[in-house]
Amino acid sequence: MTSLEQRLQRLEDDRAIRDLKARYLRACDAKQPETVRDTLLPDGAVIAYDGFPEFTDRDAFVDVYAQMGCAPGIFDIHHGANGHITFESDTRARGQWSLLFHNINLASRSLTQMGVEYDDIYVKQDGRWWIAETRSRRLSCLIHAVDEDGLARVTVMGEAPSSFG
């Protein structure tokens, strides 16, 4: 049996990882690229989201995020839930999350909703947790085109297109 101190540390680490993921998702919605960057492992983070190229450099990913997600007229909601954390060691863990993503794009006059699953790897370095690897796969997609009168028409329902942007 593990000691009380070990059990307490595991609970604190679990909470820190959950807070890290929430910080990442909130920063995406708040258009805070520097906060997004600060959640990803500085050397060697892997970001592989379905429909986008894979990144092995957090700076390259954050540059694309800033260009696409922080553009005027883009409004996102990343609602993460159902987090499940599994520890592989005291300094490495895996996480699975469900995500409801909602996007309003004024330039393209579109509304997008997606159901997404994240598979993450977290590492603890220098006393803090980082997202070392984050991968996503889309489970569902609903896209509406909004006409000049504000009427929405479904253009995609079910399977998501192969890429966005």
Side-chain angles (χ1 to χ4, degrees):
M1 178 159 212
T2 60
S3 74
L4 183 58
E5 285 180 353
Q6 290 171 316
R7 291 171 55 202
L8 180 59
Q9 184 61 56
R10 183 58 47 95
L11 288 171
E12 288 177 349
D13 287 337
D14 184 273
R15 180 78 253 167
I17 291 169
R18 291 175 189 282
D19 289 349
L20 173 68
K21 187 65 173 189
R23 185 171 173 240
Y24 170 83
L25 296 172
R26 287 179 177 274
C28 289
D29 293 344
K31 302 178 189 243
Q32 297 172 333
E34 290 310 310
T35 302
V36 169
R37 181 186 327 275
D38 190 53
T39 64
L40 301 168
L41 185 67
D43 297 318
V46 174
I47 302 99
Y49 293 153
D50 197 1
F52 291 92
E54 182 172 311
F55 296 90
T56 57
D57 171 12
R58 74 179 186 170
D59 293 330
F61 169 74
V62 170
D63 288 346
V64 170
Y65 157 73
Q67 180 183 18
M68 294 178 69
C70 298
I74 298 292
F75 304 94
D76 291 334
I77 298 172
H78 294 75
H79 186 151
N82 306 325
H84 179 74
I85 308 297
T86 305
F87 286 88
E88 297 178 345
S89 72
D90 291 342
T91 59
R92 184 178 169 94
R94 292 186 175 273
Q96 295 176 302
W97 302 89
S98 301
L99 177 78
L100 174 61
F101 173 76
H102 183 76
N103 169 268
I104 300 170
N105 185 325
L106 296 181
S108 67
R109 301 186 61 82
S110 64
L111 308 171
T112 302
Q113 291 181 334
M114 288 190 289
V116 177
E117 287 292 317
Y118 279 111
D119 291 303
D120 294 344
I121 296 174
Y122 308 99
V123 296
K124 190 175 190 180
Q125 289 183 357
D126 301 322
R128 70 166 278 194
W129 287 94
W130 299 90
I131 300 170
E133 185 173 321
T134 180
R135 297 181 179 277
S136 75
R137 64 188 179 288
R138 291 176 298 206
L139 303 178
S140 64
C141 187
L142 180 63
I143 300 175
H144 291 86
V146 181
D147 68 18
E148 294 297 324
D149 294 325
L151 298 175
R153 179 179 51 83
V154 173
T155 58
V156 175
M157 185 167 66
E159 190 172 325
S162 60
S163 66
F164 287 89

